Structures are given as C-alpha cells and as structure tokens.
Amino acid sequence: MSSTADEGASQAASRLGFTSGQVIQEFAYDDDVDEELRASIEAMTGTELVDEEFDDVTDGAVIWFRDGDGDLTDALVDAMTVLDDGGPIWVLTPKAGRPGHVSHSDIEEAATTSGLHAMSTFAIARDWSATRLGTRGRGR
C-alpha cells in the first residue's frame, strides 16, 4: 500500500471517530470489503476488529451491508446486542452505481425499526459509503 493510500485510508478511518483502545465489532466481512479502511481502523484503535461471535461489550460496530445480504434491521439488532450505550454503529454500503448498492431510505427504514436514526452519510472508501447510526435522543 502506498503512503498516499495509507494517508487516505487513515483520514477516512478518523472520520468514524474511533479512538485508541476501543473494541470495534465487524459484521458481514467478505472479500469485497475495503482492506485499507479495515487496517486503518485497527491501527487507530490499536486492536483487531472482533467478529460477529464476540460476546463481550464493544465500543462500536461496523456493518458491511450489500443489497441481498438479508435483513438490515436484524443486523442492526445483532450489532446492538453487545454495544456499549452510546457506541456508534456504522453501516458501510457500496456507493451508488456499484453492485450491491443500498438506498439511503432503506438504511433509514431499518434504523427506525431498530430504534436508531441515521445521523450522517459520506464516502469512506473508493467503493463504499458510511452511514452513522445513533440512538434517539430525548423525546423519542
């Protein structure tokens, strides 16, 4: 990986807001994920991403989700199972025009159904967009 690619992935990972020492759980890993982004998250936190079977408390979650991957609401509920209160959930989906793209309205619907809401969306990697989901504030 070139230093420019390293820097780009590091800057993208920093936008996720993870910090040193955090445990981040990863869902729906497959051979199409952005490995540079994954490596940058691990470098930033100083810990390896833990898989779906991890059953201790986590500080955040990353869900790689593609059209056809099943039910996003179920994936969100699974991610919240061991997530510490207030921990972010990031849904990473293929960008528009890429195979497996998921519409923002589908993400919002799944978030609402699972008691979350979409907070922000931006391009995170060459082929991936990131949408941050959070818990609803007061006045739910």
Side-chain angles (χ1 to χ4, degrees):
M1 180 170 26
S2 71
S3 68
T4 304
D6 277 346
E7 290 170 13
S10 277
Q11 288 175 351
S14 71
R15 293 185 71 189
L16 300 177
F18 299 135
T19 58
S20 180
Q22 288 186 316
V23 176
I24 308 303
Q25 190 170 27
E26 178 181 45
F27 294 83
Y29 174 87
D30 206 341
D31 60 4
D32 64 343
V33 303
D34 190 281
E35 293 294 343
E36 291 175 7
L37 178 60
R38 290 183 79 250
S40 293
I41 293 169
E42 290 177 339
M44 183 172 300
T45 61
T47 60
E48 289 186 15
L49 295 169
V50 297
D51 67 15
E52 296 151 351
E53 304 304 316
F54 189 79
D55 63 357
D56 202 352
V57 177
T58 62
D59 300 300
V62 171
I63 302 171
W64 301 93
F65 194 82
R66 308 142 197 93
D67 184 39
D69 273 358
D71 190 294
L72 180 55
T73 301
D74 289 344
L76 295 174
V77 170
D78 290 346
M80 290 187 292
T81 301
V82 295
L83 185 65
D84 193 26
D85 290 342
I89 296 175
W90 287 95
V91 177
L92 306 180
T93 57
K95 289 180 179 176
R98 309 292 201 289
H101 172 70
V102 178
S103 74
H104 190 73
S105 62
D106 288 345
I107 296 169
E108 287 179 332
E109 182 180 335
T112 300
T113 302
S114 59
L116 301 167
H117 69 281
M119 298 170 65
S120 60
T121 300
F122 53 86
I124 191 72
R126 187 171 62 95
D127 293 321
W128 295 88
S129 294
T131 301
R132 182 181 175 143
L133 304 181
T135 56
R136 298 204 174 270
R138 292 179 228 198
R140 288 183 232 186

